[in-house]
């Protein structure tokens, strides 16, 4: 066990041999840290938190009581192979959240980026890749192999089907089941997940110019009502618009995926 001298560890905490505890860490009462865990500088375990498996927790991340971070995947194909979990810096992992390691067949790693807020009861399944500044409200469930882009917001009690990709800056309304890929900056709501527009509030908050938002709205209208197949319309986006955000949507749609796409509500 490697513990830097500035770490504060409650006497009731259990730290296994082999764990690496960085400087300025705080490990609260009755928390458990496994033998292959690395806590980077300033990590805080409030109390009754479990961090186990081959897991790396980034600087200044805070984990609240009864969270389980780094346990084995909930996958019947998992046979004990050595896989890992990586959590970025300054994340907030709230009470009862569960984050699992990867599987050999899925790439071997589950990854959460920097500055994420995972509220009470959030689940991050095996081999999921979560970007930076992602917010997941209470009891969101992310299934295995999902890719969640930067700046995504997912409302409470929502579920994301395995292998689904959610593009950067999208927002998912509460109590929504998402079974297909979501374009960057999309607005999805309704129980079975309907693509109902763009995340205009999020775009404005990130300082996207009015001119680019106008192009995005026109591009979305083309996706909904343009001629040809959805794939054909996506190809034309890059030809007809020069806005960076529109090109990002086009590239996202045209890239490989294991799931089909949510098409705009009312699309032809």
């Amino acid at each position: 066990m490697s513990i830097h001298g500035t770490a504060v560890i409650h006497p009731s905490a259990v730290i296994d041999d082999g764990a690496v505890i960085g400087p300025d860490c705080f490990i609260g009462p009755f928390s458990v840290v496994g033998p292959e865990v690395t806590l980077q500088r300033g990590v805080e375990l409030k109390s009754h938190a479990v961090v186990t498996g081959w897991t790396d927790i980034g600087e200044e991340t805070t984990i609240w009581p009864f969270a389980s971070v780094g346990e084995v995947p909930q996958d019947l194909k998992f046979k004990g192979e050595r896989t890992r979990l990586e959590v970025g810096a300054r994340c907030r992992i709230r009470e009862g959240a569960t984050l699992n390691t990867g599987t050999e067949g899925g790439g071997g790693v589950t990854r959460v980026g920097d500055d994420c807020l995972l509220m009470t009861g959030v689940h991050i399944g095996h081999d999921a890749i979560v970007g930076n500044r992602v917010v997941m409200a209470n009891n969101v469930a992310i299934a295995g192999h999902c890719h969640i882009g930067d700046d995504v917001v997912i409302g409470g009690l929502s579920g994301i089907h395995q292998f689904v990709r959610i593009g950067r800056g999208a927002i998912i309304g509460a109590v929504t089941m998402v079974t297909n890929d979501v374009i960057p900056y999309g607005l999805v709501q309704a129980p079975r997940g309907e693509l109902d527009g763009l995340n205009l509030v999020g775009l404005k908050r990130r300082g996207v110019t009015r001119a680019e938002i106008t192009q995005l709205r026109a591009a979305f209208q083309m996706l909904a009502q343009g001629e040809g197949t959805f794939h054909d319309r996506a190809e034309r986006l890059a030809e007809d618009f020069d806005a960076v955000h529109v090109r990002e949507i086009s590239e996202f749609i045209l890239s490989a995926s294991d799931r089909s796409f949510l098409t705009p509500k009312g699309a032809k």
Side-chain angles (χ1 to χ4, degrees):
M1 170 168 41
S2 175
I3 300 177
H4 291 264
T6 52
V8 176
I9 300 174
H10 193 276
S12 66
V14 177
I15 314 295
D16 282 340
D17 290 340
V20 177
I21 311 300
D24 303 323
C25 287
F26 175 85
I27 300 178
F30 305 105
S31 291
V32 175
V33 179
E36 293 188 291
V37 170
T38 298
L39 304 183
Q40 304 290 350
R41 180 184 60 80
V43 170
E44 179 179 2
L45 310 187
K46 292 285 191 180
S47 74
H48 298 84
V50 175
V51 185
T52 188
W54 184 16
T55 296
D56 189 298
I57 305 296
E59 294 185 355
E60 299 180 5
T61 285
T62 302
I63 301 175
W64 267 257
F66 308 109
S68 175
V69 178
E71 266 295 357
V72 298
Q74 298 179 89
D75 184 343
L76 294 175
K77 298 186 297 298
F78 182 73
K79 302 301 180 184
E81 56 266 28
R82 191 167 183 263
T83 57
R84 63 185 281 111
L85 168 69
E86 299 174 357
V87 176
R90 299 174 302 279
C91 290
R92 288 166 285 175
I93 300 173
R94 294 304 305 246
E95 297 86 349
T98 56
L99 288 72
N100 295 155
T101 56
T103 64
E104 187 175 51
V109 62
T110 304
R111 184 176 294 116
V112 176
D114 298 335
D115 301 297
C116 293
L117 171 57
L118 310 181
M119 297 188 196
T120 301
V122 162
H123 173 68
I124 306 293
H126 59 84
D127 307 295
I129 305 298
V130 177
N132 302 315
R133 301 174 300 278
V134 172
V135 176
M136 299 183 189
N138 298 338
N139 296 302
V140 164
I142 306 296
H145 312 284
C146 290
H147 282 225
I148 312 298
D150 294 346
D151 302 303
V152 167
V153 177
I154 304 178
L157 298 167
S158 294
I160 313 301
H161 194 282
Q162 63 181 353
F163 294 103
V164 160
R165 300 180 304 153
I166 299 181
R168 181 160 70 108
I171 185 167
I172 311 300
V175 198
T176 299
M177 180 63 199
V178 180
T179 57
N180 299 101
D181 289 354
V182 177
I183 62 171
Y185 316 109
L187 165 64
V188 174
Q189 54 190 351
R192 295 303 296 182
E194 297 177 356
L195 181 58
D196 204 19
L198 296 170
N199 182 14
L200 297 176
V201 172
L203 289 164
K204 291 173 183 176
R205 285 176 177 171
R206 283 190 289 278
V208 178
T209 66
R210 179 173 294 184
E212 282 206 289
I213 289 176
T214 298
Q215 285 209 38
L216 275 166
R217 296 179 78 166
F220 185 85
Q221 188 64 28
M222 176 186 284
L223 281 176
Q225 301 296 334
E227 296 299 323
T229 67
F230 187 69
H231 192 275
D232 293 337
R233 299 172 201 173
E235 287 184 327
R236 288 204 304 275
L237 289 183
E239 300 170 2
D240 294 353
F241 299 92
D242 58 9
V244 172
H245 295 79
V246 176
R247 290 181 178 274
E248 184 178 352
I249 292 173
S250 176
E251 291 170 2
F252 184 89
I253 294 172
L254 297 176
S255 61
S257 175
D258 291 308
R259 308 293 300 176
S260 58
F261 284 89
L262 286 179
T263 54
K265 185 178 180 180
K268 295 195 299 183

